[in-house]
């Protein structure tokens, strides 16, 4: 028989009271109990990312990389790095060609130059992480002294260049001339050497970091998976055990000892029943172990990915790990509902799981604040950690149960349809929507009329454009005629000037003739 909405509300309320106990126990045993005991979360996660290593404090760097972190902050000392092997120097100088000028040079005058300076390589913190400089600078030296980063050049170039960038050095001006002009440096050779060097250093460092982080991710991920799987399995069994003990104790107090039995026999019988129920939960515990293992590995990977862009505090690391387990369960419930649940019911249960994840996450973030407050009271300092976990766990459990109750009530109201007042509101809303649609139709018609007017304007403008084009062609013809007239006038003026000069010359000849008479 289908229950009425009022009966469902009463049933949900009774379920809320029983869920409060289960949720509180689940929270205290799970995120605020076993997790605190089994996991030692740290800022930045278990694997050091380049972002944290370069930008964050030492707290966000994994323990095994602490020496490397310290080394990356130490002052550059050239004497700590290995020199270029003599055999490498000889091989570079043997062709007798300057790598920056392209000219033939006596090998005795050539020196091996680091295209990217040792100081710059040492100053790039990413290289320290890639080559584990906390254990020594040999790997960093070997990469810096690789032939991809070396060029044979005349000592007159190498000595003033020192640790400068080759292109910046070439642009330096001394006595009105750039170094490139003074030393006859070839820009293409310099640029090619720099690109080769930077590409080699970047590629090598990325490969070293990728190998390092992949190895650490697999190792820490496997460890997290094992711990999370064990935590989930223990959580299922302990949750059943504690809930069973609570219920049996409550029943024992309410009904007392069965007639004909002693108290110890009654307790032994009830404990045996609890143990039997716990054993029946073993298949569920195994299933949760596998789910927890997957979630543990994925949370470790997700924490690493997030820390590639931002530095997460250890509480956020905990939230990611605990939240991922709940999200996995919720989406599994929603997307792959059990056979005994309809899609609607699966969505309802999934939303309840999601609400529990949100509440637990907020609780975990607040736990540190509550712990700090409790620690400020001297007499509570020894139990601050336990008390904060119990307090936040209890509040999270109660709030999770209340939200689950609200979600159930919401779905119940949805399934039982709408009341008359709500239907009236829907009708009024439909009328408003109809008026709005009518307004949209009128606006659309006005827009179409505007488009038609715009189309007529475009046609008119096209006619004006054609008229202007014809006028332009006539103007071009007139201009060409004027240019031709000017050209003819210029020729006529030239002829007139020549005639005037001829007349003046003839007059002078006549005057000279008259003077001789």
């Amino acid at each position: 028989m289908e229950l009425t909405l009022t009966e469902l509300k009463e049933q949900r309320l009774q379920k809320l009271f029983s869920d409060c106990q289960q949720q509180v126990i689940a929270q205290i045993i799970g995120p605020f109990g076993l997790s605190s005991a089994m996991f030692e979360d740290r800022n930045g996660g278990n694997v050091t990312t380049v972002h944290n290593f370069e930008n964050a404090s030492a707290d966000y760097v994994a323990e095994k990389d602490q020496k490397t972190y310290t080394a990356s902050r130490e002052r550059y000392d050239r004497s700590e790095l290995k020199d270029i092997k003599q055999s490498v120097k000889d091989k570079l100088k043997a062709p007798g060609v300057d790598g920056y000028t392209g000219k033939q040079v006596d090998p005795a005058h050539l020196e091996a130059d680091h295209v990217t300076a040792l100081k710059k390589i040492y100053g790039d913190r990413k290289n320290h992480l890639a080559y584990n400089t906390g254990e020594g600078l040999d790997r960093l030296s070997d990469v810096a002294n690789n032939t991809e980063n070396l060029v044979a050049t005349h000592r007159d170039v190498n000595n003033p260049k020192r640790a400068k960038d080759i292109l910046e050095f070439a642009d330096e001006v001394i006595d009105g001339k750039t170094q490139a002009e003074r030393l006859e440096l070839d820009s293409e050779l310099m640029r090619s050497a720099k690109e080769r060097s930077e590409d080699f250093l970047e590629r090598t460092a990325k490969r070293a970091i990728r190998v390092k982080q992949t190895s650490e991710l697999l190792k820490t991920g496997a460890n997290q998976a094992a711990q999370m799987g064990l935590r989930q399995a223990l959580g299922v069994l302990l949750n059943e055990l504690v809930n069973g003990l609570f219920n049996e104790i409550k029943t024992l107090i309410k009904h007392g000892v069965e007639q004909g039995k002693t108290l110890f026999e009654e307790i032994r019988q009830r404990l045996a029943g609890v143990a039997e129920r716990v054993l029946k939960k073993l298949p569920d515990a195994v299933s949760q172990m596998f789910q927890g293992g997957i979630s543990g590995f994925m949370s470790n990977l997700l924490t690493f990915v997030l820390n590639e862009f931002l530095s997460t505090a250890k509480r956020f690391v905990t939230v990611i790990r605990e939240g991922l387990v709940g999200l996995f369960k919720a989406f599994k419930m929603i997307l792959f509902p059990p056979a005994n649940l309809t899609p609607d019911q699966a969505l309802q249960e999934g939303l309840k799981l999601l609400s529990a994840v949100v509440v637990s996450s907020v609780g975990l973030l607040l736990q540190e604040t509550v712990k700090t407050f409790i620690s400020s009271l001297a007499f509570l300092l020894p139990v601050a950690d336990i008390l904060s976990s119990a307090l936040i766990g209890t509040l999270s459990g109660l709030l999770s149960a209340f939200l689950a109750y609200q979600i159930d009530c919401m779905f119940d109201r949805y399934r039982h349809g709408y009341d008359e007042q709500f239907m009236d509101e829907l009708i009024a809303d439909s009328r408003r929507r109809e008026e709005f649609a009518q307004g949209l139709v009128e606006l659309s018609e006005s827009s179409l009329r505007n488009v038609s007017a715009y189309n007529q304007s475009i046609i008119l403008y096209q006619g004006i454009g054609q008229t202007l084009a014809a006028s332009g062609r006539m103007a071009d013809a007139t201009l060409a005629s004027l240019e031709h007239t000017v050209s003819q006038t210029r020729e006529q003026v030239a002829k007139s000037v020549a005639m005037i000069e001829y007349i003046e010359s003839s007059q002078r000849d006549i005057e000279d003739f008259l003077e001789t008479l």
Side-chain angles (χ1 to χ4, degrees):
M1 180 178 178
E2 189 175 356
L3 299 176
T4 65
L5 188 58
T6 304
E7 292 172 333
L8 272 174
K9 285 182 179 179
E10 182 65 25
Q11 187 184 76
R12 295 300 185 196
L13 193 60
Q14 294 300 322
K15 187 174 183 296
L16 170 64
F17 296 144
S18 62
D19 283 350
C20 284
Q21 172 188 316
Q22 296 180 12
Q23 287 287 351
V24 169
I25 292 173
Q27 291 288 341
I28 293 177
I29 289 176
F32 299 96
L34 288 174
S35 289
S36 300
M38 296 178 65
F39 297 93
E40 188 176 352
D41 293 318
R42 56 176 297 114
N43 295 332
N46 297 316
V47 179
T48 304
T49 63
V50 175
H51 174 270
N52 287 346
F53 190 85
E54 291 183 335
N55 304 304
S57 64
D59 292 339
Y60 289 84
V61 176
E63 186 64 33
K64 68 184 295 296
D65 294 316
Q66 287 293 326
K67 288 184 179 179
T68 302
Y69 181 88
T70 302
S72 70
R73 269 65 179 174
E74 292 178 352
R75 191 171 181 178
Y76 169 69
D77 184 355
R78 174 65 180 85
S79 63
E80 295 181 355
L81 296 169
K82 294 191 300 185
D83 289 328
I84 305 170
K85 294 179 181 179
Q86 188 59 46
S87 60
V88 175
K89 292 181 180 179
D90 294 341
K91 184 177 179 181
L92 281 173
K93 295 189 292 184
V97 178
D98 190 310
Y100 292 141
T101 66
K103 294 182 177 181
Q104 288 290 331
V105 179
D106 185 348
H109 297 156
L110 290 175
E111 295 179 350
D113 174 57
H114 292 92
V115 180
T116 300
L118 289 174
K119 185 176 182 179
K120 182 176 181 180
I121 296 174
Y122 184 90
D124 190 342
R125 292 173 177 174
K126 178 178 64 178
N127 291 331
H128 288 267
L129 180 64
Y131 307 121
N132 194 21
T133 57
E135 302 299 327
L137 298 173
D138 288 351
R139 290 180 63 194
L140 181 66
S141 298
D142 291 339
V143 172
N145 293 335
N146 190 283
T147 54
E148 294 292 314
N149 188 43
L150 298 175
V151 163
T153 187
H154 198 283
R155 63 185 59 163
D156 289 344
V157 176
N158 191 35
N159 290 340
K161 175 183 176 289
R162 301 175 66 81
K164 301 171 185 174
D165 179 272
I166 182 60
L167 297 182
E168 293 177 1
F169 167 72
D171 291 335
E172 285 184 357
V173 178
I174 298 178
D175 297 333
K177 286 187 176 182
T178 63
Q179 291 284 25
E181 293 170 340
R182 294 180 64 254
L183 301 172
E184 299 181 354
L185 302 176
D186 187 302
S187 60
E188 288 300 322
L189 289 177
M190 291 188 295
R191 187 173 292 104
S192 174
K194 181 180 179 179
E195 290 176 356
R196 183 184 72 245
S197 168
E198 291 177 346
D199 178 68
F200 166 74
L201 293 173
E202 182 72 14
R203 187 175 65 254
T204 306
K206 283 184 176 179
R207 182 169 60 247
I209 291 174
R210 185 165 57 250
V211 170
K212 175 182 183 298
Q213 291 177 338
T214 300
S215 172
E216 292 175 359
L217 276 173
L218 291 174
K219 183 178 178 181
T220 58
N223 185 48
Q224 285 276 85
Q227 287 183 308
M228 198 62 187
L230 180 60
R231 200 221 82 166
Q232 289 295 100
L234 287 176
V236 170
L237 298 177
L238 286 175
N239 190 42
E240 182 64 29
L241 174 63
V242 175
N243 271 301
L245 289 175
F246 265 103
N247 293 331
E248 292 297 339
I249 292 172
K250 185 168 62 174
T251 303
L252 181 61
I253 293 174
K254 185 176 181 180
H255 299 286
V257 179
E258 186 179 344
Q259 189 174 5
K261 291 184 180 179
T262 65
L263 176 61
F264 292 106
E265 289 176 339
E266 183 73 21
I267 292 175
R268 183 178 61 80
Q269 181 180 350
R270 292 185 180 278
L271 288 178
V274 171
E276 184 179 352
R277 289 197 295 273
V278 170
L279 290 174
K280 289 181 179 179
K281 282 287 183 179
L282 283 176
D284 291 339
V286 173
S287 174
Q288 289 297 315
M289 179 182 292
F290 284 109
Q291 293 183 23
I294 295 172
S295 299
F297 185 87
M298 293 305 297
S299 68
N300 187 64
L301 180 61
L302 180 59
T303 302
F304 170 78
V305 173
L306 287 176
N307 277 272
E308 285 284 11
F309 307 100
L310 50 91
S311 300
T312 59
K314 60 182 180 181
R315 283 296 171 190
F316 283 97
V317 176
T318 306
V319 168
I320 292 171
R321 185 185 63 248
E322 300 297 330
L324 205 61
V325 176
L327 289 175
F328 180 80
K329 292 180 181 178
F331 285 112
K332 180 184 176 184
M333 176 67 70
I334 295 171
L335 299 176
F336 307 101
N340 61 329
L341 294 180
T342 64
D344 184 47
Q345 292 171 330
L347 177 61
Q348 180 178 348
E349 296 302 317
L351 289 177
K352 287 157 68 174
L353 289 171
L354 285 175
S355 68
V357 170
V358 173
V359 171
S360 298
S361 299
V362 174
L364 286 168
L365 294 176
L366 292 177
Q367 185 182 2
E368 195 68 30
T369 303
V370 175
K371 179 183 175 182
T372 303
F373 173 75
I374 294 175
S375 299
S376 65
L377 304 174
F379 65 94
L380 291 178
L381 183 60
V383 294
D385 198 12
I386 297 174
L387 192 57
S388 64
S389 296
L391 180 60
I392 295 296
T394 301
L395 292 175
S396 298
L398 293 174
L399 186 55
S400 296
F402 178 73
L403 287 177
Y405 167 74
Q406 291 296 330
I407 291 172
D408 285 338
C409 290
M410 180 184 70
F411 273 84
D412 289 340
R413 287 193 297 270
Y414 170 76
R415 293 191 185 103
H416 283 75
Y418 304 99
D419 56 24
E420 185 177 352
Q421 182 180 359
F422 187 61
M423 291 299 294
D424 291 340
E425 181 60 31
L426 284 178
I427 293 172
D429 184 64
S430 66
R431 289 173 180 170
R432 288 192 294 269
R433 289 174 180 272
E434 184 178 358
E435 292 174 358
F436 180 70
Q438 184 63 31
L440 285 178
V441 170
E442 294 175 358
L443 184 61
S444 299
E445 291 175 349
S446 176
S447 298
L448 289 173
R449 287 194 296 271
N450 290 336
V451 169
S452 177
Y454 291 150
N455 187 43
Q456 293 297 325
S457 299
I458 291 171
I459 295 172
L460 180 60
Y461 289 148
Q462 287 177 342
I464 294 172
Q466 291 172 357
T467 303
L468 289 175
S471 299
R473 289 193 294 274
M474 293 176 65
D476 289 340
T478 303
L479 180 61
S481 176
L482 288 174
E483 288 177 348
H484 180 68
T485 302
V486 169
S487 175
Q488 288 181 337
T489 303
R490 189 179 291 111
E491 292 177 0
Q492 188 64 38
V493 170
K495 290 179 181 180
S496 299
V497 170
M499 180 61 69
I500 291 170
E501 289 177 352
Y502 175 74
I503 292 171
E504 288 178 351
S505 176
S506 299
Q507 186 176 358
R508 284 194 298 271
D509 290 342
I510 293 171
E511 288 175 355
D512 290 340
F513 175 73
L514 291 175
E515 287 178 359
T516 56
L517 294 179

